[in-house]
Amino acid sequence: MSTVISRNVHQSTLDDANWVRWSLIAVALGFVILFLCVPLVLVIIQAFSKGFGAYFSALSEPDMQAAMRLTLLTALITVPLNTVFGVAAAWAITRFEFRGKNLLITLIDLPFSVSPVISGLIFVLMFGAQGWFGSWFVEHDIKIIFAVPGIVLATLFITFPFVARQLIPLTQEMCSEEEEAALSLGASGWKTFFLITLPNIKWALLYGVLLCNARAMGEFGAVSVVSGHIRGMTNTLPLHVEVSYNEYDSVSAFAGASILAGLAIVTLILKTILEWKQTNRATV
Amino acid sequence: MSILLSNISKNFGQFAALHDIDLEIPEGELVALLGPSGCGKTTLLRIIAGLEQADKGKIFLDGDDKTDLHVSQRGIGFVFQHYALFRHMTVFDNVAFGMRVKDKKLRPSETEIAKKTHALLELVQFDWLHNRFPDQLSGGQRQRIGLARALAVEPSVLLLDEPFGALDASVRKDLRQWLRNLHHELNITSIFVTHDQEEAMEVASQVVVLNKGRIKQQGSPAEIYDYPANEFVSKFIGQTNEFTLEHYTVDWFKHIGLPISAESKIAHVRPHDIEIVKTANNDTPITLKDWQHLGALIWIELTKNLPNGKPKLVYVEMPNEQFKRLQLNRGDKVDLKVRHAHWFN
């Protein structure tokens, strides 16, 4: 009896009072509703404010279509490149000992810590007409800044860390013994990677690719600096939203925004599924 | 296949893991690499496998220099302490892996692979587990599957890194027996690493004792036990009493049958090489302190009062029957007789 009583006393001293619990939950929930749900609903309401017809004609407008195509193209180039880079970096960092390893780990995080506008400016400074390599590119008639290559480069830089960051903790934790076992059984390095390593990291890899893709499609700051905002040419979807909004074309702006919001929701759902898959990795 | 190591050295930064190891293992032996943790035994095994590169020295398998050959080309089977089964594959796929990754020209057909995989699973008595995943198996089951997987590539040498280290005591006991029988059946030259001297003595036909990156002794279990080459081996293998020569104990050493000469400094005596003799003489410095029943044997603790006033513990082991006949009590004064001792300087 005495132990039961003492445990109850103990527990009630550890637990917060009910009002603390409920007010914390209310604050958190209030924030989510006020800053996430309400804006999302408003975006959709605004997009459809002039009816379905206006919404779909805004979406099928050539400039909007061009913006969507450019966004897709950018993602299509940057995501695979950063996937390859991320896998290579994670592999190198966790499997080899080399000088400058810690520096590499820190540098991978650089795009997270630098303001996207600065990232954009770096590329203008390097490849712009007045930049370091600018004159060489002008001579050879290669356009980088205010053109698609600049947008791709800036996006590549911004989305650089996503895949690597997802993989490094996993490859660190994953014992290399399985890989050694495969090698001792006569498998080549490539076979070991594709048959043993990749299946073990696939969910984390997909998760990283997903985040990378979401950022590649949604990036605004860095792309804005290098794009030059040429309608139908160098506007990605986020830029198109801004331009339309500044021109008081609210249906077009919010239609674009609704596409991006939709992308975010899909990403969120896939992210949850992948997270679930990852935690259930051990039990297959 | 015979294994020959010559002059193997390996450093990890400042730490010298192995110094000039020379070792010859004849074909068909089951060898234990035995030593305390950190003695370099696992490093040596991994160097033979090619999972680690030696800084210096050569490795010959069956007379062929394999020093620079990649691990995947060496034709060895490696069994890991923590099994290292492929967790995303079934037991069947795990065992079949080594055959499936062979070059197209050398790869058996899928039906042959299936036949051989089932045969190997029969050999380790687990064919009924073939479509389970590794995390659905117990530790002992996993290690047997690990062994079947290593055998699937028909290795010329089988290397096992603390194969029973992660298992329960009772499972370990079974698996030791099983490994020894399997070795009799297959007769593959095998090396296993262990820090458990009992395991080494029980399973191996040859024991190699390592300490601090050097080989201390190599021989059959009987040789290692009965003729330890140095102090380290004598203390590491089995129990031993250590008597240090000091001028005031010389008489006592003579009395119990240890002929002391000035050059000999330390005598090692196995507990079963000491005989207890009942005596009426109350001046004897030996007192029976306590004993423990170990089943067939009795483990007896005696104290000897040294002239400098400090008590020294002496351990004696004798069969249960003999102990009963002596009818000893705690606190009895007794005499000792040493039957056999080893001398180290």
Side-chain angles (χ1 to χ4, degrees):
Chain A
M1 257 325 265
S2 66
T3 57
V4 172
I5 292 165
S6 72
R7 182 148 43 115
N8 283 343
V9 171
H10 191 64
Q11 239 173 21
S12 63
T13 54
L14 272 183
D15 279 356
D16 293 313
N18 263 347
W19 67 269
V20 176
R21 198 184 330 168
W22 288 116
S23 48
L24 278 177
I25 292 172
V27 167
L29 213 62
F31 255 74
V32 168
I33 291 171
L34 197 64
F35 291 100
L36 291 176
C37 298
V38 172
L40 196 64
V41 171
L42 278 180
V43 164
I44 292 161
I45 290 173
Q46 284 289 332
F48 290 103
S49 61
K50 301 214 170 103
F52 284 90
Y55 177 77
F56 286 111
S57 69
L59 283 186
S60 52
E61 189 197 351
D63 286 352
M64 175 75 92
Q65 295 272 316
M68 284 192 210
R69 269 200 302 277
L70 182 57
T71 301
L72 281 178
L73 176 73
T74 311
L76 224 56
I77 297 171
T78 55
V79 173
L81 282 178
N82 273 335
T83 305
V84 171
F85 163 77
V87 172
W91 184 268
I93 283 168
T94 49
R95 289 291 177 267
F96 308 124
E97 287 302 322
F98 53 90
R99 264 170 197 280
K101 185 165 143 174
N102 282 327
L103 188 69
L104 180 63
I105 298 175
T106 316
L107 282 180
I108 287 173
D109 279 342
L110 188 69
F112 277 163
S113 50
V114 172
S115 159
V117 178
I118 311 292
S119 319
L121 275 176
I122 294 167
F123 286 100
V124 174
L125 280 175
M126 275 167 61
F127 302 117
Q130 318 299 323
W132 288 354
F133 311 111
S135 51
W136 189 86
F137 285 112
V138 171
E139 272 167 36
H140 293 78
D141 203 24
I142 301 170
K143 283 201 69 113
I144 294 199
I145 299 303
F146 307 139
V148 175
I151 293 170
V152 171
L153 279 175
T155 311
L156 206 56
F157 179 82
I158 291 292
T159 57
F160 197 58
F162 285 95
V163 175
R165 268 287 137 206
Q166 283 306 317
L167 290 186
I168 288 168
L170 189 71
T171 44
Q172 254 165 356
E173 163 223 339
M174 200 182 99
C175 66
S176 55
E177 274 195 352
E178 278 183 51
E179 285 156 16
E180 288 180 346
L183 290 173
S184 77
L185 291 167
S188 64
W190 283 114
K191 275 185 181 160
T192 302
F193 177 76
F194 283 109
L195 297 174
I196 306 301
T197 314
L198 207 55
N200 274 318
I201 61 170
K202 66 182 172 196
W203 297 119
L205 180 64
L206 277 176
Y207 185 72
V209 167
L210 181 79
L211 292 185
C212 180
N213 180 59
R215 187 64 190 268
M217 290 192 168
E219 175 53 27
F220 178 81
V223 172
S224 172
V225 176
V226 296
S227 119
H229 301 268
I230 308 165
R231 292 201 107 181
M233 301 275 290
T234 63
N235 264 357
T236 59
L237 200 50
L239 297 183
H240 184 77
V241 170
E242 196 217 11
V243 171
S244 306
Y245 184 75
N246 288 343
E247 291 167 0
Y248 304 106
D249 185 357
S250 72
V251 172
S252 179
F254 283 102
S258 74
I259 299 284
L260 287 171
L263 174 74
I265 290 168
V266 171
T267 304
L268 216 57
I269 294 169
L270 289 176
K271 181 172 162 271
T272 314
I273 294 172
L274 288 177
E275 267 171 355
W276 181 80
K277 287 269 186 196
Q278 232 176 305
T279 48
N280 288 286
R281 178 169 54 96
T283 51
V284 180
Chain B
M1 197 176 278
S2 68
I3 301 170
L4 180 68
L5 305 178
S6 104
N7 263 323
I8 298 281
S9 291
K10 173 81 183 171
N11 295 299
F12 291 110
Q14 293 293 311
F15 176 70
L18 296 170
H19 304 266
D20 288 333
I21 298 281
D22 287 307
L23 182 62
E24 194 177 346
I25 294 170
E27 181 162 357
E29 294 280 346
L30 175 54
V31 177
L33 290 180
L34 174 65
S37 30
C39 72
K41 54 196 191 299
T42 293
T43 306
L44 188 60
L45 193 77
R46 289 172 61 85
I47 286 173
I48 299 171
L51 292 169
E52 209 90 60
Q53 190 74 36
D55 296 338
K56 214 178 85 195
K58 297 239 169 255
I59 300 153
F60 299 90
L61 299 183
D62 225 12
D64 296 328
D65 185 350
K66 305 265 178 162
T67 315
D68 298 317
L69 209 60
H70 189 254
V71 46
S72 60
Q73 308 296 314
R74 284 199 191 185
I76 49 101
F78 202 95
V79 175
F80 293 81
Q81 181 179 3
H82 298 287
Y83 330 121
L85 294 180
F86 308 132
R87 59 189 115 171
H88 61 288
M89 291 185 194
T90 60
V91 163
F92 181 91
D93 290 337
N94 262 283
V95 176
F97 183 87
M99 292 180 269
R100 285 181 177 155
V101 295
K102 281 190 174 156
D103 281 339
K104 266 215 176 83
K105 279 176 241 158
L106 302 169
R107 195 185 307 157
S109 71
E110 200 56 32
T111 42
E112 277 173 67
I113 290 176
K115 206 173 131 201
K116 198 167 163 202
T117 303
H118 284 300
L120 279 163
L121 285 171
E122 294 276 339
L123 181 73
V124 298
Q125 299 147 15
F126 281 129
D127 198 27
W128 55 284
L129 291 172
H130 69 269
N131 51 18
R132 301 276 184 93
F133 282 94
D135 58 355
Q136 295 168 313
L137 307 179
S138 71
Q141 290 171 333
R142 285 186 213 186
Q143 199 51 294
R144 291 197 201 195
I145 302 300
L147 195 62
R149 181 178 69 177
L151 290 172
V153 290
E154 295 178 2
S156 50
V157 173
L158 190 60
L159 305 171
L160 307 101
D161 182 14
E162 302 236 12
F164 316 124
L167 301 172
D168 294 342
S170 63
V171 181
R172 200 183 298 185
K173 198 95 186 149
D174 284 350
L175 271 188
R176 280 184 202 168
Q177 286 283 338
W178 177 79
L179 178 68
R180 209 176 47 187
N181 295 338
L182 191 74
H183 180 261
H184 276 303
E185 215 171 298
L186 303 173
N187 217 32
I188 301 176
T189 312
S190 308
I191 305 180
F192 74 100
V193 158
T194 180
H195 60 259
D196 181 344
Q197 43 117 347
E198 211 178 292
E199 188 170 291
M201 305 298 261
E202 188 183 322
V203 180
S205 60
Q206 287 273 311
V207 178
V208 177
V209 185
L210 282 139
N211 189 37
K212 293 185 179 160
R214 293 175 203 275
I215 293 181
K216 292 306 215 180
Q217 193 173 358
Q218 178 184 6
S220 69
E223 279 166 355
I224 299 265
Y225 188 82
D226 292 335
Y227 306 101
N230 46 55
E231 221 185 312
F232 175 81
V233 175
S234 169
K235 277 203 260 185
F236 191 71
I237 310 287
Q239 303 281 346
T240 195
N241 287 295
E242 199 177 339
F243 296 106
T244 313
L245 173 68
E246 279 163 71
H247 62 94
Y248 50 78
T249 52
V250 169
D251 281 348
W252 184 68
F253 287 142
K254 274 185 188 147
H255 168 68
I256 62 173
L258 285 177
I260 300 288
S261 68
E263 303 88 58
S264 319
K265 294 199 183 78
I266 297 164
H268 283 195
V269 182
R270 300 281 188 205
H272 55 80
D273 284 332
I274 301 179
E275 199 180 326
I276 295 179
V277 185
K278 277 191 112 170
T279 177
N281 174 13
N282 265 332
D283 296 337
T284 172
I286 313 280
T287 314
L288 186 95
K289 193 177 163 224
D290 205 356
W291 65 81
Q292 290 143 27
H293 280 264
L294 308 175
L297 292 172
I298 306 291
W299 181 252
I300 304 159
E301 288 172 41
L302 304 142
T303 46
K304 174 188 178 343
N305 287 313
L306 297 178
N308 64 6
K310 283 184 190 156
K312 178 184 168 49
L313 279 175
V314 178
Y315 296 104
V316 174
E317 208 176 49
M318 68 169 73
N320 204 338
E321 281 302 306
Q322 194 184 341
F323 182 73
K324 275 183 192 150
R325 253 182 278 126
L326 276 170
Q327 293 186 320
L328 292 163
N329 294 307
R330 284 185 185 85
D332 277 1
K333 295 279 187 184
V334 292
D335 270 340
L336 299 182
K337 281 241 163 63
V338 171
R339 288 190 214 103
H340 189 73
H342 301 287
W343 297 97
F344 303 106
N345 283 320

